[in-house]
Amino acid sequence: MQVRWYDGYVPTFNDFFRLRDELDQLFDIGLPLSNIRSVPRGTFPAINIQEQKDSVCIDACLPGVDPKDVDLTIEDNALTIKGRRNTGNGGGNYHRRERFSGEFTRIVSLPEGLDSNKAEARYHEGILSITIARAEEKKPKQIAVSVA
Amino acid sequence: MADKNTQAVVRKDDAELASRIKDTLVPQVDICEDRESVTLYADLPGVAKDGLDVHIEKDTLQIYGRRSAHAQAAGTGAYTEMPARDYYRAFTIGEEVDRDHISAQLANGVLKVVLPKSERAKPKKIDIKYA
């Protein structure tokens, strides 16, 4: 029997690769209802979104990123976070390289009725917090009930 | 009898550690080594200096990061990829690390730990004498 040895697949571990592929299919690709804009697990940067009464806050986990290297734009209802992170430290041999290094882009769909002129971003402890205010006319309004 | 007691102590330690690291996130790390030292970088977004605990116990380097209040709140919203949990990760280190001169610094959510090698463990060039 000819042993095929390609794509870095070591024949001894073929069963493990097959198991991994099957699990990936089961959990990621197999789900019939995943959103067309959804991203795979572990996409950099991780993003959290909070909706508040007056604003929407988007937190992006960007540890070790120089805020000058991040470009934020709002167009229609999409926020684009674009930038680069360089974790390369030159000298030495790496035992592990798990941290993301390179260029990244993430596009976040925003809810309707935000005022992109009232957006601010703050970088603290490796988290970039972007706060976008809701437009005045879209804020929830209290209706007074008068007794007839 | 002595064996029994020892085992009980070990189990208690494990239980304490288990309760502390329950539901923690595993931070991503880079580890590189050169002639002088082993250097570890860990991504700990949302951890402030006072929430960080780096220590060595026996042969284990333990990193524990507690998220600051702001980062905690940030993980409870409409859409969450980064849950509001603390970080924990541990590594075993060998005899060659000089435990008295380990240094750590935290900047912008990245922890850097430098583990210098003791003089004995550094590579040495051997001079060859010609006869």
Side-chain angles (χ1 to χ4, degrees), chain B residues 4-45:
Chain B
K4 243 184 195 170
N5 285 340
T6 316
Q7 274 185 0
V9 169
V10 168
R11 263 203 301 272
K12 189 166 160 266
D13 283 356
D14 283 352
E16 275 174 21
L17 182 66
S19 72
R20 197 182 184 202
I21 67 172
K22 192 168 173 268
D23 292 333
T24 47
L25 298 169
V26 178
Q28 287 168 331
V29 300
D30 284 351
I31 296 172
C32 64
E33 178 170 355
D34 59 18
R35 290 167 64 93
E36 301 293 321
S37 58
V38 177
T39 310
L40 176 149
Y41 298 87
D43 279 347
L44 300 168

Side-chain angles (χ1 to χ4, degrees), chain A residues 85-142:
Chain A
R85 174 167 99 152
N86 183 14
T87 60
N89 310 101
N93 298 315
Y94 278 91
H95 294 290
R96 285 172 188 270
R97 289 204 91 159
E98 299 169 357
R99 298 165 66 228
F100 175 88
S101 186
E103 303 204 349
F104 57 84
T105 306
R106 279 208 70 174
I107 298 166
V108 182
S109 297
L110 299 171
E112 294 282 333
L114 296 182
D115 187 350
S116 58
N117 294 317
K118 286 186 190 161
E120 54 183 57
R122 204 172 73 99
Y123 185 72
H124 184 57
E125 292 165 2
I127 295 179
L128 181 70
S129 301
I130 304 139
T131 308
I132 308 166
R134 289 189 199 275
E136 279 302 323
E137 64 269 24
K138 299 284 180 181
K139 282 186 188 166
K141 283 185 188 68
Q142 192 91 35

Side-chain angles (χ1 to χ4, degrees), chain A residues 14-141:
Chain A
N14 270 350
D15 281 349
F16 290 112
F17 287 115
R18 187 176 53 77
L19 180 66
R20 186 191 64 186
D21 291 346
E22 282 177 8
L23 285 171
D24 278 353
Q25 276 178 20
L26 188 65
F27 290 113
D28 285 337
I29 305 150
L31 283 177
L33 294 173
S34 60
N35 189 305
I36 199 164
R37 290 205 179 100
S38 63
V39 291
R41 274 170 294 151
T43 299
F44 187 88
I47 282 169
N48 290 344
I49 302 173
Q50 284 171 288
E51 288 209 53
Q52 282 140 2
K53 211 172 109 193
D54 299 334
S55 62
V56 169
C57 182
I58 298 114
D59 287 296
C61 292
L62 291 166
V65 174
D66 186 343
K68 276 183 255 147
D69 288 339
V70 180
D71 199 30
L72 296 170
T73 48
I74 299 174
E75 199 182 332
D76 296 329
N77 281 325
L79 165 73
T80 304
I81 304 167
K82 202 174 169 176
R84 48 191 286 275
R85 174 167 99 152
N86 183 14
T87 60
N89 310 101
N93 298 315
Y94 278 91
H95 294 290
R96 285 172 188 270
R97 289 204 91 159
E98 299 169 357
R99 298 165 66 228
F100 175 88
S101 186
E103 303 204 349
F104 57 84
T105 306
R106 279 208 70 174
I107 298 166
V108 182
S109 297
L110 299 171
E112 294 282 333
L114 296 182
D115 187 350
S116 58
N117 294 317
K118 286 186 190 161
E120 54 183 57
R122 204 172 73 99
Y123 185 72
H124 184 57
E125 292 165 2
I127 295 179
L128 181 70
S129 301
I130 304 139
T131 308
I132 308 166
R134 289 189 199 275
E136 279 302 323
E137 64 269 24
K138 299 284 180 181
K139 282 186 188 166
K141 283 185 188 68

Side-chain angles (χ1 to χ4, degrees), chain A residues 48, chain B residues 23 25 67-68 71-76 80-86:
Chain A
N48 290 344
Chain B
D23 292 333
L25 298 169
R67 297 256 224 135
S68 62
Q72 288 283 359
T76 55
T80 302
E81 286 176 3
M82 192 66 153
R85 293 198 230 137
D86 297 337

